[in-house]
Amino acid sequence: MAADLNHYPILTEEEEQDISCSVEEVINVLGGKWSFHVLKELFDGTRRFGEIRKSIKGISPKALTDTLRHFEDNGIVEREIHATVPVTVEYSLTDKGASLNLVLREMKIWGSKWSVK
């Protein structure tokens, strides 16, 4: 059964291209294997590297470092370094990162509705 797309507004070719680019940008930011797991941890608040690593089963330190750096480069996560011995590094979501909660919630609802069980 085909979906009825008639109730969606008709977009110009330029608007369609803008949407495609925006979706690609979101996928580029969130497309990593561990992205959703790391975000889930940070939605609960500021975490230290070791706390995140312990809570995500199977993630290597390198994969976590790469994911956090990717998020930091894209303005999703901010890193705060505390001058302690040893140095303490904490990660938290920026406003931009926290706003992804709504996007991921909608994806979760969609997946729950349409997943094969």
Side-chain angles (χ1 to χ4, degrees):
M1 176 167 144
D4 178 18
L5 301 178
N6 292 329
H7 63 278
Y8 291 101
I10 296 175
L11 302 175
T12 66
E13 189 173 318
E14 184 176 312
E15 290 170 325
E16 284 283 351
Q17 187 169 0
D18 287 345
I19 289 172
S20 294
C21 291
S22 298
V23 170
E24 285 177 31
E25 186 173 332
V26 172
I27 290 170
N28 286 337
V29 171
L30 298 179
K33 176 178 179 178
W34 298 104
S35 295
F36 294 103
H37 299 283
V38 172
L39 286 173
K40 181 178 175 269
E41 289 303 314
L42 294 174
F43 285 143
D44 291 334
T46 300
R47 298 282 188 269
R48 292 190 336 249
F49 184 91
E51 293 173 322
I52 299 169
R53 192 167 70 88
K54 286 178 187 173
S55 63
I56 302 174
K57 303 293 183 223
I59 192 168
S60 69
K62 181 185 182 332
L64 179 55
T65 298
D66 290 348
T67 301
L68 289 167
R69 282 188 184 152
H70 176 73
F71 282 159
E72 193 175 0
D73 291 346
N74 284 279
I76 304 299
V77 166
E78 61 185 13
R79 181 176 68 158
E80 187 174 347
I81 301 170
H82 300 279
T84 57
V85 178
V87 172
T88 304
V89 180
E90 294 181 326
Y91 296 89
S92 57
L93 293 173
T94 62
D95 289 341
K96 180 180 178 181
S99 70
L100 288 169
N101 199 358
L102 296 174
V103 173
L104 298 179
R105 185 177 308 220
E106 287 299 317
M107 290 173 69
K108 182 179 179 180
I109 291 168
W110 185 89
S112 176
K113 180 177 180 179
W114 296 103
S115 68
V116 177
K117 297 180 181 179

